[in-house]
Amino acid sequence: MINNKRFIAVIGGGQCSKAEAKLAEEVGRELARQGVILVCGGLGGVMEAACKGASSQGGITIGILPGDSRQAANRYVQIPIVTGIGYARNVAVVKSAQAVIAVGGSYGTLSEISHALQSGIPVIGLNTWALSRNSQQDNSIIPAQNPTEAVNKALELATDQ
Amino acid sequence: MINNKRFIAVIGGGQCSKAEAKLAEEVGRELARQGVILVCGGLGGVMEAACKGASSQGGITIGILPGDSRQAANRYVQIPIVTGIGYARNVAVVKSAQAVIAVGGSYGTLSEISHALQSGIPVIGLNTWALSRNSQQDNSIIPAQNPTEAVNKALELATDQ
Amino acid sequence: MINNKRFIAVIGGGQCSKAEAKLAEEVGRELARQGVILVCGGLGGVMEAACKGASSQGGITIGILPGDSRQAANRYVQIPIVTGIGYARNVAVVKSAQAVIAVGGSYGTLSEISHALQSGIPVIGLNTWALSRNSQQDNSIIPAQNPTEAVNKALELATDQ
Amino acid sequence: MINNKRFIAVIGGGQCSKAEAKLAEEVGRELARQGVILVCGGLGGVMEAACKGASSQGGITIGILPGDSRQAANRYVQIPIVTGIGYARNVAVVKSAQAVIAVGGSYGTLSEISHALQSGIPVIGLNTWALSRNSQQDNSIIPAQNPTEAVNKALELATDQ
């Protein structure tokens, strides 16, 4: 039964360090343990590590892909969504989630963080971007010290749009 | 376990006749009986009827929504994908499926049929559009006489892109 | 001065017959003569022929491209719009126009015709698709006998959304 | 004659301070003086101020709109592109430019900055976001002290993708 599940996105680089992969995998495991459906961009790096973690605990994983083929999905994606719209799919990744957990990441991840904040979707950060505007710090990205704290904060703040 | 499932899209009007709803519901039921995951645009009419049928048999339903809110999904959608890209999401509906079943439908449905055919994804039709080009019939939409035949033809022709 | 110009889209195959190219080029010429800005998908075939015709008369040409590079635009596109969203850009091609002229075309063109009709944007056809639904002809595509008639009908029916 | 023009995007809030509007208007004026075509998101605030500045010097202005209607364009947009894809159009705004000038801005602007940097398109900043990642400053946004410097840097760094 999938009804009434919560959806959390995990975002981060398509390539990542071992430390980031370890964090993302543990985020995925914890999401699955708490019965949350994992949404991601469906590719490698942080996305694959998170899906691997979730799958290991019997969780459900959704990969919203940029290209034209489901073959591009990492092997732990159970539900590939094939958008064909390139990086514009970043908008769909965050909008399909009730909260977002960012692990590391480069400019693609920053675009997802931005789209989430623009839509009022909470963003929890693990070793990720920090923002300031006109020399004033912007504290919209909520820091977490570890994967469990990240998942707990995400679930606490999850919104329903 | 969701791995290795097949994905079939059911497309049709957001408003539809009772006869179309009955067809769509039976398509949904038959897809679920055969263990197929149902993809649709997530709204009312044919989409809702198909999701209702699939849900009644314990099937999984995905709704790829045009707007900014999961609240717009019909109540039988278990996995709402929130794209925020309007009717451009029609491309994602068909690309996320290995075959498409069209039930009735208006111009939005015709755009989905077109995008599917453009991408080489088979389209099965139940009381839907017929096409001709330069006075020559185009037989790309494969007709089915009833929901079971439509599902069987879709599964037979399902491609993996 | 570009203000208060009308915008008409010319749609058709990225590859086309010589007869279609001739029609499209004459449509482009006539649009430019009447001071209309030409919108198209920016690639080859009918799009290139229409842009060539418009350019030869000093008209302005806009190419709304599917990919990530302006280099893909045909040489007669003066204003390349780089969307990066693949065939989902078909929606933007028709929505950016007040009427659409279809010359020949395959399934991509049919998707543009469908998106236009769904949005209430008039479609004029030159040797293009014909539609029927549930065995009833659909006369939404308005036929024209030649390029001048196509342009005149498009301007007469042009809507402002 | 529009051929061989350069395209620069001006991005910033749909609502903005008077100081930001003044900066944006001067950026628009300077772009037009240098014969550059202005690309923007087509709405109010910084976008409108930049278009106003460009128009006052006889420049060409393109507005790539998120919604379904050209009526949403500010009055200084000469070429409205109607995408219907919501904030996913932010990708098209930056990809259609050879460099981007950010004036102030909120999370939508930050998403555009991110998409530009992800695509290798130079970003010049006037009183806008500053970035750091894992406690290290990221200097990808090139600061400018005033509108003329912003335009000169943008033209110097303009890439052709």
Side-chain angles (χ1 to χ4, degrees):
Chain A
M1 218 12 213
I2 302 186
N3 288 326
N4 301 315
K5 293 282 188 184
R6 288 159 302 174
F7 294 78
I8 304 286
V10 179
I11 62 175
Q15 298 188 318
C16 70
S17 68
K18 281 192 185 174
E20 288 169 335
K22 213 178 141 187
L23 284 172
E25 194 176 334
E26 180 54 23
V27 167
R29 271 196 297 267
E30 185 61 22
L31 287 171
R33 280 183 210 118
Q34 300 216 24
V36 177
I37 295 183
L38 169 63
V39 178
C40 73
L43 302 178
V46 157
M47 297 170 263
E48 182 166 357
C51 288
K52 186 181 176 189
S55 290
S56 74
Q57 305 296 312
I60 294 174
T61 58
I62 300 172
I64 302 180
L65 295 159
D68 290 313
S69 166
R70 71 186 61 235
Q71 311 296 352
N74 72 63
R75 74 182 106 168
Y76 307 104
V77 168
Q78 295 158 19
I79 299 182
I81 303 296
V82 183
T83 67
I85 60 171
Y87 290 120
R89 75 80 154 83
N90 292 7
V91 177
V93 170
V94 299
K95 280 188 182 290
S96 296
Q98 291 156 310
V100 172
I101 298 172
V103 181
S106 186
Y107 300 117
T109 303
L110 183 58
S111 78
E112 292 173 314
I113 291 172
S114 313
H115 286 299
L117 295 175
Q118 188 182 22
S119 298
I121 298 166
V123 178
I124 319 297
L126 280 165
N127 300 349
T128 190
W129 290 94
L131 309 174
S132 63
R133 189 165 25 163
N134 280 330
S135 309
Q136 282 209 294
Q137 240 186 299
D138 175 300
N139 295 312
S140 302
I141 303 175
I142 295 153
Q145 299 309 313
N146 56 61
T148 308
E149 189 187 326
V151 170
N152 288 338
K153 284 191 170 175
L155 287 171
E156 200 180 301
L157 295 167
T159 57
D160 220 352
Q161 315 238 337
Chain B
M1 224 5 218
I2 302 186
N3 289 326
N4 302 315
K5 293 281 189 186
R6 288 158 303 175
F7 294 77
I8 303 285
V10 180
I11 61 176
Q15 298 188 317
C16 71
S17 69
K18 281 192 184 175
E20 289 169 334
K22 212 178 144 189
L23 284 172
E25 194 176 335
E26 180 54 22
V27 168
R29 271 196 297 265
E30 185 60 22
L31 286 171
R33 280 184 210 117
Q34 301 216 25
V36 176
I37 295 182
L38 167 64
V39 178
C40 74
L43 302 178
V46 157
M47 298 170 262
E48 182 165 358
C51 288
K52 186 180 176 190
S55 291
S56 75
Q57 304 296 312
I60 294 174
T61 58
I62 300 172
I64 302 181
L65 295 158
D68 290 313
S69 167
R70 72 186 61 236
Q71 311 297 353
N74 73 61
R75 75 182 105 168
Y76 306 104
V77 169
Q78 295 159 18
I79 299 183
I81 303 295
V82 183
T83 68
I85 59 170
Y87 289 120
R89 75 76 153 86
N90 292 7
V91 177
V93 169
V94 299
K95 280 187 182 291
S96 296
Q98 292 156 309
V100 172
I101 299 171
V103 181
S106 184
Y107 301 117
T109 303
L110 183 59
S111 78
E112 293 173 313
I113 291 172
S114 313
H115 286 298
L117 294 175
Q118 187 183 23
S119 298
I121 299 166
V123 178
I124 319 298
L126 280 165
N127 301 349
T128 189
W129 291 94
L131 308 173
S132 64
R133 192 165 22 162
N134 280 330
S135 310
Q136 282 211 294
Q137 240 187 299
D138 175 300
N139 296 313
S140 301
I141 303 175
I142 296 152
Q145 299 309 313
N146 57 60
T148 308
E149 189 188 327
V151 170
N152 288 338
K153 285 190 169 175
L155 286 171
E156 199 180 300
L157 296 168
T159 57
D160 220 352
Q161 315 239 337
Chain C
M1 225 2 220
I2 302 186
N3 289 327
N4 301 316
K5 293 281 188 185
R6 288 158 302 176
F7 293 77
I8 303 285
V10 179
I11 61 176
Q15 299 188 316
C16 71
S17 68
K18 281 192 184 175
E20 289 169 335
K22 211 177 143 189
L23 284 173
E25 194 176 335
E26 180 54 23
V27 168
R29 270 195 298 266
E30 184 60 23
L31 286 171
R33 278 183 211 119
Q34 301 216 24
V36 176
I37 295 182
L38 167 64
V39 178
C40 74
L43 302 178
V46 158
M47 299 170 261
E48 182 165 358
C51 288
K52 186 180 175 189
S55 289
S56 75
Q57 304 296 312
I60 294 174
T61 58
I62 300 172
I64 303 181
L65 296 158
D68 290 312
S69 167
R70 72 185 61 235
Q71 311 297 351
N74 72 62
R75 76 183 104 165
Y76 306 104
V77 168
Q78 295 159 17
I79 299 183
I81 303 295
V82 184
T83 68
I85 59 170
Y87 289 119
R89 75 77 154 85
N90 292 6
V91 177
V93 170
V94 298
K95 280 188 182 291
S96 296
Q98 292 156 309
V100 172
I101 299 171
V103 181
S106 185
Y107 301 117
T109 303
L110 183 59
S111 78
E112 292 173 315
I113 291 172
S114 312
H115 286 298
L117 294 175
Q118 188 183 21
S119 298
I121 298 166
V123 178
I124 318 298
L126 280 164
N127 300 351
T128 190
W129 291 94
L131 308 173
S132 64
R133 191 163 25 161
N134 281 328
S135 311
Q136 283 210 296
Q137 240 187 299
D138 175 300
N139 295 313
S140 302
I141 303 174
I142 296 152
Q145 299 310 311
N146 57 59
T148 308
E149 188 187 327
V151 170
N152 288 338
K153 285 191 169 176
L155 287 171
E156 200 180 300
L157 296 167
T159 57
D160 220 352
Q161 316 237 336
Chain D
M1 214 20 207
I2 301 187
N3 288 327
N4 302 315
K5 293 282 187 185
R6 288 158 303 175
F7 294 77
I8 303 285
V10 180
I11 61 176
Q15 297 188 319
C16 71
S17 67
K18 281 192 184 173
E20 288 169 335
K22 212 178 142 189
L23 284 172
E25 194 176 335
E26 180 54 23
V27 168
R29 270 196 297 265
E30 184 61 23
L31 286 171
R33 279 183 210 119
Q34 301 217 23
V36 176
I37 294 182
L38 168 64
V39 179
C40 73
L43 302 178
V46 158
M47 298 170 262
E48 182 165 357
C51 288
K52 186 181 176 189
S55 289
S56 75
Q57 304 297 312
I60 294 174
T61 59
I62 300 172
I64 302 180
L65 296 159
D68 290 313
S69 166
R70 73 185 61 236
Q71 310 297 352
N74 73 62
R75 76 182 105 167
Y76 306 104
V77 168
Q78 295 158 17
I79 300 183
I81 304 295
V82 184
T83 68
I85 59 170
Y87 290 119
R89 76 78 153 85
N90 292 7
V91 176
V93 170
V94 298
K95 278 186 183 293
S96 296
Q98 291 156 309
V100 172
I101 299 172
V103 181
S106 186
Y107 300 117
T109 303
L110 183 59
S111 78
E112 292 173 314
I113 291 172
S114 313
H115 286 298
L117 294 175
Q118 187 182 24
S119 298
I121 299 165
V123 178
I124 319 297
L126 280 165
N127 300 351
T128 188
W129 291 94
L131 308 174
S132 64
R133 190 165 24 161
N134 280 329
S135 310
Q136 283 210 294
Q137 241 186 299
D138 175 300
N139 295 312
S140 302
I141 302 174
I142 296 153
Q145 300 309 312
N146 57 60
T148 308
E149 189 188 327
V151 169
N152 288 338
K153 285 190 169 177
L155 286 171
E156 200 179 300
L157 296 167
T159 57
D160 220 352
Q161 316 238 338

